[in-house]
């Protein structure tokens, strides 16, 4: 069994396909899109067998090569009017390009290229859905941010709308695959966006980084959502991973949020970051601590890429691991909403996996205790009851969406 690299937001039990835990977890995330035709187990395992997990170029090359083949197959299928086959091939290509991109630190020469290819493949698939997924650009401050809007039918009926808010390092297109179909199948409009600090936004604009005051950009975003065709005024915000900070922050300040799902809530981001390094180092002082962290990350290139991307998304692209460990004021130090949770009065659901780590469990419990909503619920996923105990139910998305939308159906049916 692989040893967990990060102390929060990762279950301790990996698949065991890779010895390195973060590589194994990223493989799980890639395979999880199989739920919505975004992956196939045979081609994923075949790629995995050829990867040298200590060599990041091996990871990048294998996934990119597979994606390139499927992209060409999709083009061929489209040329022959096989639209369903083309759609499914484009979906898998976007996922595998995204997997390759997740092996890239921001300084890697293929970082932007692989993200762009992933986005292009997804957007080639969008018009092949019925009804199609609409590709939007939303003006937020000085930026034009990518967004997707999807309705259950191309008609004049007005419906409640799910606004999905992604996490720290997830691609917008992957988030749409994971959460969009479940919403649309249940009769909800679905909207999601590369908000400031989300992966696509940072790749497009160096200054479009994470910030504490997400109610500011989301005021413009929700204005845009309200004007979309088919929106009946009822808006649910679902925040996944780092979105578990963003969505509650917006709900504190904007009463247009009629229902809130935090999966998992983050009410004190600096504490989450502190918890990340605990299993890396244990109780080790000073310079030895820095050497141990750097040594562990050198053995886990995907973990290193994850950490370096984190600095990049906070607007600190030059920060080193050593500087991060030494700083008295961690990045994101002003992302704390614990004292403001009482301002959340809309129906609220908090979700967390039993094996996400002590800090995530504590913050989830404090979150649900702190909100003032008359209707508030907490659900803890376990392997025994749910077949899932991992971060954002990465090990069982179907179960996660079942709990989410069954709860939301109850809110909006009353």
């Amino acid at each position: 069994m692989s040893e967990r690299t990060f102390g929060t937001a990762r279950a301790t039990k990996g698949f065991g396909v890779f010895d390195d835990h973060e590589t194994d977890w990223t493989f799980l995330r890639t395979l999880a899109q199989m739920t919505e035709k975004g992956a196939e187990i045979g081609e994923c395992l075949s790629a995995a067998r050829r990867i040298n997990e200590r060599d990041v170029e091996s990871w990048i090359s294998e996934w990119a090569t597979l994606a390139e083949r499927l992209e060409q197959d999709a083009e061929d299928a489209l040329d022959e009017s096989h639209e369903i086959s083309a759609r499914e091939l484009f979906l898998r290509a976007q996922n595998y390009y995204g997997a390759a991109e997740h092996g890239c630190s921001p300084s890697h020469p293929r970082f932007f290229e692989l993200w762009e290819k992933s986005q292009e493949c997804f957007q080639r698939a969008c018009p092949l859905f019925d009804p199609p997924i609409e590709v939007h650009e939303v003006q937020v401050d000085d930026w034009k941010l990518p967004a997707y809007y999807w309705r259950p039918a191309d008609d004049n009926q007005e419906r409640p709308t799910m606004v999905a808010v992604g996490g720290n390092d997830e691609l917008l297109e992957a988030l749409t695959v994971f959460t969009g179909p479940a919403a649309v199948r249940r009769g909800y409009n679905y909207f999601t966006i590369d908000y400031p600090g989300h992966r696509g936004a940072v790749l497009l604009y160096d200054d479009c980084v994470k910030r504490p005051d997400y109610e500011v950009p989301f005021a413009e975003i929700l204005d845009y959502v309200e004007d979309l065709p088919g929106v009946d005024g009822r808006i649910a915000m679902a925040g996944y991973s780092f979105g578990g900070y963003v969505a509650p922050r917006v709900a504190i300040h904007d009463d247009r949020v009629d229902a809130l799902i935090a999966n998992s809530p983050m009410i004190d981001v600096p504490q989450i970051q502190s918890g990340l390094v605990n299993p890396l180092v244990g109780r080790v002082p000073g310079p030895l601590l820095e050497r141990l962290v750097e040594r562990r990350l050198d053995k886990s290139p995907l973990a290193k890429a994850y950490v370096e991307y984190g600095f990049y998304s906070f607007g600190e692209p030059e920060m080193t691991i050593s500087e991060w460990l030494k700083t008295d004021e961690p990045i994101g130090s002003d992302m704390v909403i614990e004292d403001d949770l009482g301002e959340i009065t809309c129906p609220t659901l908090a979700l967390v996996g039993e094996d996400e780590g002590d800090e995530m469990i504590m913050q989830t419990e404090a979150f649900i205790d702190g909100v003032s909503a008359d209707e508030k619920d907490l659900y803890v996923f376990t392997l025994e009851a749910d077949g899932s105990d991992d971060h954002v139910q990465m090990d069982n998305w179907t179960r996660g969406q079942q709990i989410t939308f069954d709860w939301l159906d109850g809110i909006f049916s009353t």
Side-chain angles (χ1 to χ4, degrees):
M1 188 67 66
S2 57
E3 179 183 357
R4 180 163 64 178
T5 307
F6 297 116
T8 56
R10 299 286 192 272
T12 55
K13 309 172 189 69
F15 269 5
V17 174
F18 294 98
D19 292 333
D20 173 63
H21 190 278
E22 185 63 15
T23 306
D24 206 52
W25 196 87
T26 307
F27 178 74
L28 164 63
R29 177 165 62 184
T30 303
L31 189 60
Q33 286 198 40
M34 189 172 161
T35 301
E36 299 293 350
K37 295 289 188 181
E40 277 296 340
I41 190 167
E43 59 197 18
C44 287
L45 289 173
S46 178
R49 280 195 295 267
R50 294 189 297 271
I51 290 171
N52 175 357
E53 62 192 272
R54 295 291 181 89
D55 178 6
V56 74
E57 295 302 326
S58 171
W59 171 277
I60 294 167
S61 175
E62 289 298 338
W63 290 115
T65 298
L66 176 56
E68 288 161 5
R69 177 173 65 80
L70 295 178
E71 181 183 13
Q72 184 57 59
D73 288 348
E75 298 286 2
D76 293 343
L78 202 56
D79 287 344
E80 297 175 8
S81 299
H82 302 309
E83 293 190 352
I84 293 175
S85 294
R87 181 182 72 204
E88 293 177 357
L89 286 160
F90 277 129
L91 281 184
R92 302 209 311 277
Q94 67 78 28
N95 183 18
Y96 303 150
Y97 276 129
E101 187 261 5
H102 275 83
C104 298
S105 295
S107 59
H108 193 282
R110 301 196 70 184
F111 182 55
F112 184 88
E113 170 218 341
L114 291 167
W115 165 76
E116 190 172 44
K117 283 181 174 291
S118 179
Q119 184 191 66
E120 286 175 358
C121 285
F122 182 78
Q123 293 186 359
R124 293 297 303 279
C126 285
L128 304 178
F129 285 89
D130 183 22
I133 300 174
E134 300 175 17
V135 179
H136 287 246
E137 273 191 342
V138 182
Q139 187 73 44
V140 178
D141 202 347
D142 294 330
W143 312 297
K144 291 183 179 180
L145 301 180
Y148 299 109
Y149 183 52
W150 198 4
R151 292 187 284 167
D154 189 10
D155 56 24
N156 295 321
Q157 182 175 339
E158 293 189 338
R159 301 174 174 87
T161 302
M162 162 74 78
V163 176
V165 184
N168 173 57
D169 64 326
E170 191 61 272
L171 295 175
L172 186 66
E173 292 70 32
L175 177 69
T176 305
V177 173
F178 280 132
T179 59
V184 170
R185 282 195 295 265
R186 289 168 170 86
Y188 295 92
N189 302 322
Y190 175 86
F191 178 87
T192 191
I193 187 170
D194 266 321
Y195 62 86
H198 202 246
R199 200 167 184 108
V202 182
L203 276 152
L204 285 170
Y205 304 101
D206 289 343
D207 60 342
C208 195
V209 296
K210 288 185 172 70
R211 55 192 291 173
D213 58 341
Y214 276 106
E215 68 277 10
V216 176
F218 269 90
E220 294 182 79
I221 292 167
L222 292 181
D223 286 346
Y224 188 88
V225 170
E226 286 184 314
D227 289 338
L228 289 168
V231 175
D232 71 1
R234 290 177 293 172
I235 294 174
M237 284 194 74
Y240 299 90
S241 195
F242 182 72
Y245 167 79
V246 177
R249 172 80 193 209
V250 175
I252 286 167
H253 295 276
D254 198 318
D255 60 10
R256 288 177 291 182
V257 179
D258 298 303
L260 174 65
I261 300 104
N263 186 2
S264 305
M266 294 188 183
I267 63 175
D268 189 329
V269 173
Q271 279 299 113
I272 297 288
Q273 291 189 44
S274 176
L276 279 175
V277 298
N278 286 344
L280 282 170
V281 296
R283 299 178 180 275
V284 181
L288 181 58
L289 167 66
E290 297 167 33
R291 289 197 297 273
L292 284 176
V293 171
E294 289 175 352
R295 185 180 303 169
R296 175 66 66 85
L297 292 180
D298 284 341
K299 293 179 180 179
S300 176
L302 264 71
K304 188 172 185 179
Y306 172 82
V307 171
E308 291 180 356
Y309 166 76
F311 300 155
Y312 179 78
S313 70
F314 274 98
E316 298 285 351
E318 304 302 321
M319 179 169 279
T320 65
I321 300 294
S322 178
E323 290 170 339
W324 178 46
L325 292 170
K326 289 178 180 177
T327 183
D328 293 328
E329 185 175 347
I331 53 178
S333 60
D334 45 2
M335 293 182 176
V336 180
I337 57 172
E338 188 170 8
D339 293 339
D340 302 315
L341 294 173
E343 300 299 318
I344 299 176
T345 58
C346 64
T348 299
L349 174 66
L351 305 172
V352 70
E354 184 181 46
D355 200 22
E356 287 194 50
D358 291 343
E359 186 62 37
M360 297 297 290
I361 296 287
M362 288 188 294
Q363 293 206 21
T364 300
E365 292 172 345
F367 168 79
I368 207 67
D369 287 343
V371 300
S372 296
D374 291 334
E375 187 155 1
K376 57 183 182 178
D377 296 282
L378 166 64
Y379 193 91
V380 180
F381 291 87
T382 68
L383 281 178
E384 292 76 16
D386 306 290
S388 172
D389 63 356
D390 207 344
H391 188 51
V392 295
Q393 302 82 62
M394 191 60 70
D395 48 351
N396 193 337
W397 267 95
T398 301
R399 177 61 171 165
Q401 301 295 24
Q402 175 196 341
I403 297 297
T404 297
F405 285 102
D406 287 358
W407 177 86
L408 190 60
D409 287 347
I411 298 302
F412 281 159
S413 66
T414 58

